[in-house]
Structures are given as structure tokens and as C-alpha cells.
Amino acid sequence: METALLEPSKWETFQSAWELFQDPILCALIAGCVLGFLSVYVVLRRMVFVSAAVTNTAGLGVALAFFAEIHLGVHVDPLVGAVVLSVAATLLLMVEPARLRLSRESLLGCAFAFAGGAAILVGDRIAQESHDIQGILFGTAVLVTPDQLQAVAVAGAVLMVLHLWWFRGIAFVSFDRIGATVQGLPVRLLDTVLMVSIGIMVGVCARALGALPVFAFSTLSAIAALVLDLRLPWTFFTATVLGGIAGAGGYLFAYFYDFPVGGSQTVLSGVLVLLMMLVRLVRLPFLRKA
């Protein structure tokens, strides 16, 4: 009985080990916010499956980096592998598929299936790192190294500054391509900046958190925000906040209720969509009166 009384609660354990948890929570918060912001472009430009294919490709990049070091003796940082392959995938998916006699859906399906299958095959040949591979694909990793946090923070800060600086141009090109061309905006450059930004952020975040929660942040955050039918700047802001809540909140939920981290972050992203749908239903009578 005395032992039970003296046993620290989970909250007390969490507080005492805060130094251990602060890096993964901060990393999930930053990743959720930045990917939540970018998710508005992903959803409104109907690129949800682009995000799925790129996250799978990032997982393949990490697996190939491990494979190269173990079997070929060539050191490749897994972070570099994830970023290089995810950026390459985004650039490949920008190619006009009609030139290859393919539809865009066909190209996306090929990229998604090939990258996911190849990551599993490569992972099967690197048993030493099988836990890391599983963590990358499904987001089961609990800890985040300082290098991974630094990479996510630096990439997130640089991309957010760039996107807030060029917000009007990128948004104009994304939602009114013909009008942007008529106005003389560098459409192709702005498109490339957006796609490369998604590739870089997905790559660094998938290495730290796993492909599954990264896909959820980069799609479900915008879906939840768009349900509210807000003005565009507020939609970006809401998606950013909801992404951060899903990242940090999902980690805390996983810790206190003993669930896998990536699954918790993904499910919380889905729950936020449902909550926003309820908010919309409550607001609907007031919107009609207005």
C-alpha cells in the first residue's frame, strides 16, 4: 500500500523527464504547424496523393541510406536520403503526364505503390535497422535526436519566412493560374518553389516523425480548416494551428495512454476534422441568417 502511494503519477514522471520529451514534442509542434500551412495548397490544388507519394518516397530514401551504409560501406545521412528522394519525387510529379501517355492519377499511383513497396523490400535487407525503418514508415519512433529537431526547425523557419514573404504570389498562382500568367507572374518559378518546399519539409519531417503522421499533417489539417469556410488567410492560420495541435497533442496522448506516437498523431488529425465539422454544423444557422 505504501509503495503504491509513493509511486509517482504519470504526470509527475512526465514533468521529471521533461528534458527527454521536449525535443520530440517541439519537433512535432513545428512539423505540424509548417506542414499544416502547406497542406492548404496540397488540398486546394488537389495534390493529396502527391503528398502520399512523397512521404512514401522519403521513407524509401531513409531505407536506401541505411542500405548503402550497411551493404556498400558508403555513408549517407538518412536525412539527406529522405530529402533528396522526396524533392526528386515532387519534381518528377510536376512533369506533364500526357507526354508519357499517362493520366496524373496513374503517375501518382505508380509513384506511391513503387516507393512504398521498395521501402519494404530495402527494409527487409537491413535487419539491423528494421526498428528505425518501421518508425519511419509508421511513425512509431518516440525519441527525436537534436540533429533531427534542428533540421526540422531550420527547414520550417526558412520555408515559413519564404512562404509568408511570397504568400500573395504563390496563392495567386495556385488558385488562379491563368490570371497569374496574364499578370506576368513567374508561374513556373512559384510552382517549383511550392513543390520543392513540400518535398523538403516532408523529407526532414518523415525522417524525424515517420511518413504516416507527416501525411496526416500535410492533408487533414487543411481539410479541417476548409470545413469552416473561412477567408483564405484565416484558413492558412487555422490549418497551421490545427497541425501544431495534432503534432504536440498526439505525442502527449500517446505518452499518457500508452499508444504508438504516429498513430496517435494521425488519429488526432482525423478527430480534429470531425470537431471542425461539428463546429460548422453549430455555425450553420448563424451563417444562413448572415
Side-chain angles (χ1 to χ4, degrees):
M1 183 66 180
E2 291 182 357
T3 304
L5 290 174
L6 292 174
E7 186 176 339
S9 66
K10 207 141 190 176
W11 172 247
E12 290 172 333
T13 305
F14 178 77
Q15 284 183 305
S16 62
W18 169 245
E19 290 187 0
L20 186 66
F21 297 120
Q22 64 179 357
D23 281 3
I25 291 175
L26 185 57
C27 184
L29 179 66
I30 296 170
C33 287
V34 180
L35 288 171
F37 180 91
L38 295 174
S39 70
V40 180
Y41 292 117
V42 171
V43 173
L44 287 182
R45 293 182 61 155
R46 300 181 179 179
M47 301 191 302
V48 170
F49 289 106
V50 170
S51 178
V54 173
T55 49
N56 262 8
T57 308
L60 174 61
V62 175
L64 286 174
F66 283 129
F67 184 90
E69 179 147 12
I70 293 171
H71 293 288
L72 306 178
V74 178
H75 176 69
V76 179
D77 192 317
L79 176 63
V80 174
V83 172
V84 168
L85 256 69
S86 56
V87 171
T90 55
L91 295 177
L92 174 66
L93 294 173
M94 288 180 67
V95 174
E96 180 54 53
R99 296 180 182 177
L100 305 173
R101 300 182 68 81
L102 292 172
S103 66
R104 186 163 297 281
E105 288 76 14
S106 300
L107 189 62
L108 289 172
C110 288
F112 175 80
F114 176 80
I120 293 172
L121 292 183
V122 175
D124 186 65
R125 290 293 181 269
I126 46 176
Q128 301 93 319
E129 307 293 347
S130 59
H131 180 72
D132 278 343
I133 297 299
Q134 187 180 10
I136 292 158
L137 292 178
F138 301 108
T140 56
V142 176
L143 299 179
V144 169
T145 66
D147 289 345
Q148 292 168 357
L149 172 60
Q150 185 178 17
V152 171
V154 170
V158 171
L159 292 179
M160 283 304 297
V161 169
L162 178 63
H163 276 266
L164 291 175
W165 182 20
W166 288 4
F167 177 75
R168 295 185 66 179
I170 295 175
F172 196 7
V173 168
S174 296
F175 309 128
D176 186 1
R177 194 177 184 83
I178 296 176
T181 305
V182 171
Q183 292 291 327
L185 290 179
V187 173
R188 194 160 187 80
L189 172 63
L190 294 172
D191 261 349
T192 304
V193 167
L194 174 60
M195 297 300 284
V196 170
S197 299
I198 294 171
I200 291 174
M201 203 60 202
V202 166
V204 296
C205 293
R207 173 67 186 104
L209 304 175
L212 182 61
V214 166
F215 174 66
F217 299 155
S218 59
T219 54
L220 297 183
S221 305
I223 293 172
L226 288 166
V227 165
L228 297 176
D229 199 17
L230 304 169
R231 295 173 70 87
L232 191 60
W234 282 108
T235 300
F236 275 94
F237 176 77
T238 306
T240 303
V241 172
L242 292 176
I245 292 173
Y251 190 94
L252 293 174
F253 179 82
Y255 171 78
F256 284 106
Y257 295 97
D258 296 324
F259 282 111
V261 175
S264 300
Q265 292 168 328
T266 303
V267 169
L268 182 54
S269 297
V271 169
L272 290 174
V273 175
L274 296 176
L275 285 175
M276 293 306 108
M277 291 170 70
L278 289 175
V279 170
R280 179 180 174 81
L281 289 176
V282 171
R283 289 180 62 221
L284 204 55
F286 300 99
L287 292 174
R288 284 175 178 168
K289 289 181 181 177

